Amino acid sequence: LIAVDKLALAWSWHQLIKGEFVLKGKMVKPWIHLRRDQNNHFNITRALPPKSQPAPKNDSATPFSQNIVIESFDVTDGSFSFETELSQMSTHIHGIDLKIKGNLDRQEGEMKVQFAGGDLVIDGLKTVLNPSMLTGRYANNRLAPVKISISTHAGNATLIGSVDHPFTSPQGDLQLQAKVLLDKIMPVIATKIEWGGIAQTQIHLKGPMDNPDLALTLTYSDIAPLQKSTSKPADHRMEARAMLTDRVLTIDHMVLSSGNSQMGINGVINLKPAFANGFMAPNPDIKATQLDGHFSLQTPNIDAALSPWGILGSKGSLSAEGAVSGSILRPQLNLQLNGKQLAYGDI
């Protein structure tokens, strides 16, 4: 259940007399194994003594008033595992190192945690966890700098930045960079979709968390349907650039290309009616979202565009211009199609 090779704690009697509890600690090779049974009970609860009746409240008791200072608390080479009978899910993390410092009166502290590796298994699908880390410092009602770096066999992500007033009215300045290998992640999130390729994104968020400004870029290269292609795909790519300002998402550039075929999209998604009181307010009205966009399609050779995806027998060329507006549930679509020498099989 819980084990540790070495635990050392030390405190200053001199500082304790002065009203400050100053602690130093070190833990070597702690091991924690949590298990949840079919009745939603954890194994740790069985190891604890049964609850006793609470003692009568003593209004004259003196509250604990000493300041608590963690001068240093280090955890070295720890491991953690968790499994549950309620679902086919388990995880194991090893090589955990943790460093903590803090001062209660000053309301400040810092933490660094990293691990060497592990795995996460959900419904028989395994995600390999590579070395990852998290660091952060809190002082003067500000969480900065913050850095989270996560790496798996399916990709990696890094988040850096700061958050002001994190416990009252959080305002962030955060940047996220992520890379995902689609052939690795698709079996985890949707086993019936078999796509390959590399997706990369950069997101910059700034402002109050309930109504932030956001800039996003996304590229998706080497797009290919796995085990369905009859020939080597052409250069399948997607590029997108968008900005969110006051709950209005503006897509100023979105292009999907396949060889010499190309589809372009631009427009506005107005989220103000859906999130009238901000993104963090309860009960958003998603159906009130408004659309105003345009798209175009140019496909000089339909067969060249579709055959790498396993769709064979198409012939001719196709172009299209269109616009969409109105609510997300009842959009209005205007579409103009132009085709030349269109054919499919013997049709």
Side-chain angles (χ1 to χ4, degrees):
L1 181 62
I2 298 177
V4 60
D5 275 13
K6 180 180 179 182
L7 174 63
L9 298 174
W11 57 88
S12 169
W13 289 105
H14 177 69
Q15 292 297 115
L16 189 61
I17 294 173
K18 294 170 62 177
E20 193 168 64
F21 182 60
V22 180
L23 176 69
K24 289 183 179 181
K26 186 174 184 180
M27 190 181 295
V28 179
K29 290 187 176 180
W31 177 85
I32 300 175
H33 180 199
L34 292 182
R35 189 172 184 273
R36 185 170 60 176
D37 62 24
Q38 294 180 349
N39 297 318
N40 203 23
H41 295 150
F42 284 92
N43 56 347
I44 193 171
T45 58
R46 300 193 195 99
L48 298 175
K51 292 183 178 180
S52 58
Q53 293 294 326
K57 185 176 180 180
N58 185 358
D59 295 332
S60 63
T62 303
F64 186 78
S65 59
Q66 290 183 325
N67 182 32
I68 299 176
V69 178
I70 300 177
E71 192 168 291
S72 66
F73 189 86
D74 298 346
V75 177
T76 305
D77 198 17
S79 64
F80 171 82
S81 61
F82 170 76
E83 58 183 319
T84 174
E85 295 179 358
L86 296 178
S87 62
Q88 295 182 352
M89 192 274 281
S90 65
T91 185
H92 173 71
I93 301 174
H94 64 269
I96 302 172
D97 292 339
L98 171 68
K99 294 181 179 292
I100 298 176
K101 296 180 180 180
N103 188 306
L104 184 60
D105 275 359
R106 296 179 183 176
Q107 294 189 10
E108 62 182 34
E110 56 185 281
M111 180 183 69
K112 178 179 181 180
V113 59
Q114 59 188 22
F115 60 82
D119 59 65
L120 172 66
V121 180
I122 300 177
D123 293 331
L125 297 172
K126 183 177 180 179
T127 299
V128 178
L129 304 176
N130 297 327
S132 302
M133 57 90 70
L134 178 152
T135 62
R137 185 176 188 276
Y138 179 76
N140 300 318
N141 209 13
R142 189 168 195 255
L143 192 59
V146 176
K147 182 176 181 180
I148 303 173
S149 180
I150 299 174
S151 176
T152 76
H153 77 293
N156 56 73
T158 300
L159 178 71
I160 60 173
S162 62
V163 180
D164 290 304
H165 312 289
F167 305 112
T168 53
S169 54
Q171 297 202 27
D173 187 355
L174 301 167
Q175 296 188 53
L176 172 69
Q177 292 186 337
K179 177 180 179 181
V180 176
L181 306 178
L182 269 296
D183 62 326
K184 304 294 185 182
I185 197 66
M186 277 300 176
V188 177
I189 61 177
T191 55
K192 294 183 179 180
I193 301 177
E194 298 180 323
W195 282 0
I198 302 172
Q200 299 184 76
T201 186
Q202 293 184 351
I203 300 174
H204 184 194
L205 180 150
K206 190 170 185 178
M209 292 299 185
D210 61 345
N211 188 13
D213 290 343
L214 184 146
L216 177 147
T217 61
L218 172 67
T219 61
Y220 183 9
S221 58
D222 300 327
I223 305 174
L226 302 179
Q227 300 176 350
K228 288 182 173 22
S229 177
T230 59
S231 62
K232 184 177 179 180
D235 182 20
H236 302 302
R237 292 180 57 84
M238 182 183 77
E239 298 178 356
R241 185 172 62 244
M243 297 187 67
L244 178 71
T245 303
D246 193 19
R247 291 160 291 157
V248 176
L249 180 66
T250 302
I251 303 172
D252 60 4
H253 173 80
M254 185 172 182
V255 176
L256 296 89
S257 61
S258 175
N260 58 0
S261 298
Q262 190 173 88
M263 182 176 184
I265 299 172
N266 63 74
V268 171
I269 302 176
N270 186 355
L271 298 167
K272 282 186 178 181
F275 298 90
N277 297 314
F279 288 114
M280 301 181 71
N283 304 318
D285 186 11
I286 302 298
K287 63 180 182 294
T289 301
Q290 297 292 309
L291 306 175
D292 184 8
H294 301 81
F295 60 89
S296 63
L297 172 67
Q298 298 292 332
T299 308
N301 188 330
I302 295 178
D303 182 61
L306 297 182
S307 61
W309 303 82
I311 303 174
L312 307 177
S314 300
K315 297 179 181 179
S317 63
L318 181 68
S319 63
E321 296 282 342
V324 61
S325 60
S327 71
I328 195 170
L329 290 183
R330 293 184 177 179
Q332 296 179 359
L333 177 65
N334 294 316
L335 178 64
Q336 183 178 13
L337 290 172
N338 293 293
K340 293 182 179 180
Q341 298 179 337
L342 297 176
Y344 182 76
D346 297 329
I347 301 176

